Amino acid sequence: MRGALLAFLVLLAGCSADRPAPVSSLSSNKPLARVVNYEPIKGNSYRVKKGDTLYSIAFRSGQDYRQLAKRNGIAAPYRIFPGQIIRLSWTAPKVAKKPPTSSGPSTQSRSPKKVEQKTTRAYGQSKGNKNVNSQPAVGSSVTRQWRWPVQGKLIAGFSHRQDGNKGIDISAPRGTPVRATAAGKVVYAGSALRGYGRLVIIKHDDDYLSAYAHNDSLQVKEQQWVKAGQIIARVGDSDSETVKLHFEIRYRGTAINPLKKLKK
């Protein structure tokens, strides 16, 4: 009997040695937003890699995914494939100028009518045409005053390392209001970007985006115009191990240190 018990204990010890390590010891302690590390995309085109989505490509290039889909003829649900070429900008074809002809009356004596040149602003708003679609005015990128998105404790700062934090992390109680750092248009509200949980992305002008991740709930919809300080979400822990807000500011797709923009 004692011999059988000893053999059982030896067998049990052998099985324990072959058991996989606990999940907690295998997983990274870094937040998913750091592990994913969406690097910026530059240039006029991009070749899709494994794991890319149209949403992530739009985020990394500083664009609205709808405009990106329209430009490339991609319909909902916006499926893309590795190796596919995505056009990031409109490339206007070059038109050859016709040489002047010697025949016919001279056109130099004519006084052509002056055509008013319209300066296109962000989202199609033209100079001199105020209150287009009742959207709030978006100030200059240079003079804009950025607001803190949430009241809480700064627990992680920005890092320039390739695998570092591409924004800042702010700890706050669950349900704390998350506010727009500046006026703009909501170009994304959902949970399709891996590592960010429930996410809101606001486009402020042709250069700047701001992103608000790991929310418990979203208070805005895509294509909605918001004012600076408007509540857009509630703090949570979606796709995060702790309750916090992960906040990013991107300039033409490149993550920059938000602390350099936020009010002191």
Side-chain angles (χ1 to χ4, degrees), residues 149-152 170-179 198 213-219 230-238 242-245:
V150 71
Q151 292 184 351
I170 305 172
S171 176
R174 184 186 302 275
T176 301
V178 177
R179 301 178 183 274
R198 295 185 182 92
H214 304 312
N215 298 291
D216 185 63
S217 62
L218 306 182
Q219 307 295 310
Q230 182 175 332
I231 298 176
I232 58 173
R234 299 280 178 178
V235 172
D237 60 353
S238 57
T242 58
V243 178
K244 65 181 180 182
L245 174 72

Side-chain angles (χ1 to χ4, degrees), residues 29-234:
N29 291 326
K30 296 181 179 180
L32 282 175
R34 298 191 193 184
V35 177
V36 173
N37 189 18
Y38 287 117
E39 290 298 323
I41 297 176
K42 304 295 183 181
N44 295 324
S45 63
Y46 174 76
R47 184 181 295 274
V48 177
K49 299 177 182 178
K50 185 178 180 181
D52 286 337
T53 65
L54 190 72
Y55 303 101
S56 66
I57 294 173
F59 183 46
R60 293 165 62 190
S61 59
Q63 301 188 44
D64 183 336
Y65 74 89
R66 288 181 181 80
Q67 295 178 359
L68 196 61
K70 182 178 180 180
R71 186 180 304 130
N72 290 273
I74 302 174
Y78 309 115
R79 292 175 181 171
I80 56 176
F81 307 94
Q84 183 178 352
I85 301 298
I86 302 296
R87 289 189 297 168
L88 301 178
S89 63
W90 293 106
T91 53
K94 294 183 179 180
V95 180
K97 294 183 178 179
K98 295 182 179 180
T101 56
S102 57
S103 60
S106 175
T107 58
Q108 294 182 354
S109 59
R110 297 182 181 179
S111 178
K113 294 182 179 180
K114 185 178 179 180
V115 179
E116 181 182 358
Q117 298 294 329
K118 293 185 178 179
T119 303
T120 302
R121 296 183 178 180
Y123 312 117
Q125 182 181 6
S126 58
K127 186 175 181 180
N129 187 6
K130 299 180 180 179
N131 198 28
V132 178
N133 295 330
S134 300
Q135 68 264 39
V138 180
S140 168
S141 299
V142 179
T143 60
R144 183 185 301 113
Q145 295 296 315
W146 302 80
R147 298 169 178 253
W148 280 82
V150 71
Q151 292 184 351
K153 181 181 179 181
L154 183 65
I155 57 175
F158 179 85
S159 173
H160 289 283
R161 293 178 52 183
Q162 185 174 0
D163 62 343
N165 194 5
K166 297 307 175 186
I168 59 174
D169 295 343
I170 305 172
S171 176
R174 184 186 302 275
T176 301
V178 177
R179 301 178 183 274
T181 189
K185 185 179 184 181
V186 177
V187 294
Y188 181 79
S191 56
L193 267 74
R194 184 170 60 91
Y196 284 85
R198 295 185 182 92
L199 172 70
V200 174
I201 300 176
I202 299 176
K203 189 174 181 66
H204 303 289
D205 55 24
D206 288 337
D207 295 322
Y208 284 99
L209 292 174
S210 60
Y212 314 74
H214 304 312
N215 298 291
D216 185 63
S217 62
L218 306 182
Q219 307 295 310
V220 291
K221 298 180 180 180
E222 293 178 356
Q223 304 298 295
Q224 178 180 339
W225 290 90
V226 295
K227 299 178 181 180
Q230 182 175 332
I231 298 176
I232 58 173
R234 299 280 178 178

Side-chain angles (χ1 to χ4, degrees), residues 10-21:
V10 171
L11 179 61
L12 182 61
C15 293
S16 299
D18 293 336
R19 287 179 182 175

